[in-house]
Amino acid sequence: MEQRMQAALRVEISAEADDGDLAIHDLYRWLRQDTDVRAHADLNMIPSPSRGKLEIIDLVVSQGLGALNLGLSYAAWRAARPAAPAVTISANGRSITVRGECDAETVRRFVEAMESASAPSPAPAAEADSA
């Protein structure tokens, strides 16, 4: 655990829409059950300070393989729930919002955004509107 967290990135995942709280809890359970994600991330559910009653998923992800595993697990969750609300993944001042289908290009952009979040200067938020 100590070695894994030395090169780590804090990530927050939130969901939009009225059913966002249900979706974020469902995604949290999905990620907790994914052994590849659990091997490269520590997951917690915390209250969102800026969104009222909604909660967010707070992760500490090892960079590289952890970002890829998280992206692939999210894509699998999204494929199983095509009607899920938009989900925003934020790290180090950068974020990507995924709406609709999550295809290979979206996963690539997701991983790229996570990897670039380790850079010191924040850039404008990216938006991935699939479907």
Side-chain angles (χ1 to χ4, degrees):
M1 175 66 84
E2 181 80 24
Q3 181 182 12
R4 173 173 48 145
M5 293 301 121
Q6 287 176 352
L9 179 65
R10 178 167 299 279
V11 178
E12 292 181 350
I13 303 174
S14 59
E16 298 176 5
D18 293 337
D19 62 346
D21 219 19
L22 293 174
I24 208 70
H25 281 273
D26 186 49
L27 176 56
Y28 177 74
R29 282 188 298 275
W30 182 278
L31 294 173
R32 298 271 313 164
Q33 292 173 359
D34 187 317
T35 55
D36 290 330
V37 170
R38 282 197 336 257
H40 298 281
D42 291 328
L43 291 94
N44 293 294
M45 185 70 79
I46 61 172
S48 173
S50 63
R51 301 191 72 188
K53 70 178 183 73
L54 293 180
E55 292 182 291
I56 59 175
I57 299 172
D58 181 62
L59 302 102
V60 177
V61 180
S62 62
Q63 294 178 4
L65 191 57
L68 178 59
N69 287 333
L70 182 58
L72 292 172
S73 188
Y74 175 79
W77 175 80
R78 193 65 181 209
R81 287 149 194 83
V87 172
T88 301
I89 299 96
S90 304
N92 197 23
R94 293 183 166 97
S95 64
I96 184 169
T97 298
V98 181
R99 292 177 168 76
E101 218 174 282
C102 187
D103 58 11
E105 175 63 15
T106 305
V107 171
R108 185 193 63 74
R109 290 175 63 194
F110 175 96
V111 172
E112 195 174 85
M114 296 247 325
E115 288 173 346
S116 70
S118 61
S121 61
E127 185 138 330
D129 285 319
S130 304

